[in-house]
């Protein structure tokens, strides 16, 4: 298992921005794909975005296209999710997850999960 830590969540007003970070303890993401998922109270966990091991391939849920952007730092130690133009419906616990190499939108195919970080958007 890979120990993952998310950070950057918080409380913002609608239209504001947050940047979430995901890092693995004691290693880099050099051979891992990283996905972001979110879960609101009473709802199923849903796919948000994913980036492959090299950063060359990215995928976004339709609901966040044009507002959220994925990136990796040059050392591949951290994956970032920049969230702009936030809406009340973006309120959820956000999780990062990893698997070998390639992107998938299916949560059960990811092998390691972080504890999550709360994002709350007021309106």
């Amino acid at each position: 298992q890979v120990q993952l830590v998310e950070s950057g969540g918080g409380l913002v007003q609608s239209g504001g921005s947050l940047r979430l970070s995901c890092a693995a303890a004691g290693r880099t993401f050099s051979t891992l794909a990283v996905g972001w998922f979110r879960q609101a109270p009473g709802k199923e966990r849903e796919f948000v975005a994913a980036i492959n091991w090299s950063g060359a391939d990215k995928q976004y849920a339709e609901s966040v296209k044009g507002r959220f952007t994925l990136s990796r730092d040059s050392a591949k130690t951290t994956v970032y999710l920049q969230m702009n133009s936030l809406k009340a419906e973006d309120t959820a616990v956000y999780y990062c997850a990893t698997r070998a190499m390639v992107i998938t939108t299916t949560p059960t195919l990811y092998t390691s999960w972080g504890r999550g970080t709360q994002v709350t958007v007021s309106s």
Side-chain angles (χ1 to χ4, degrees):
Q1 294 183 324
V2 179
Q3 184 176 348
L4 300 173
V5 179
E6 304 100 332
S7 62
L11 174 63
V12 299
Q13 296 183 15
S14 62
S17 298
L18 287 172
R19 188 177 72 164
L20 304 185
S21 300
C22 178
R27 64 167 295 162
T28 71
F29 291 120
S30 60
T31 61
L32 299 175
V34 179
W36 284 94
F37 297 81
R38 65 187 182 187
Q39 189 166 20
K43 297 184 178 180
E44 292 187 348
R45 189 166 298 185
E46 66 173 341
F47 171 77
V48 176
I51 186 169
N52 82 326
W53 71 274
S54 70
D57 293 327
K58 301 175 184 177
Q59 187 171 345
Y60 300 92
E62 190 67 29
S63 60
V64 306
K65 284 182 178 178
R67 300 190 297 120
F68 291 9
T69 305
L70 278 168
S71 63
R72 314 186 77 147
D73 69 348
S74 59
K76 298 182 179 179
T77 58
T78 307
V79 169
Y80 303 99
L81 182 66
Q82 178 68 44
M83 306 187 296
N84 297 327
S85 301
L86 284 163
K87 306 174 181 179
E89 53 263 43
D90 295 318
T91 295
V93 176
Y94 283 69
Y95 300 89
C96 67
T98 63
R99 69 185 308 277
M101 298 294 185
V102 299
I103 291 170
T104 179
T105 62
T106 304
T108 55
L109 296 180
Y110 286 80
T111 56
S112 297
W113 291 82
R115 297 292 187 182
T117 185
Q118 177 70 49
V119 172
T120 302
V121 184
S122 63
S123 63

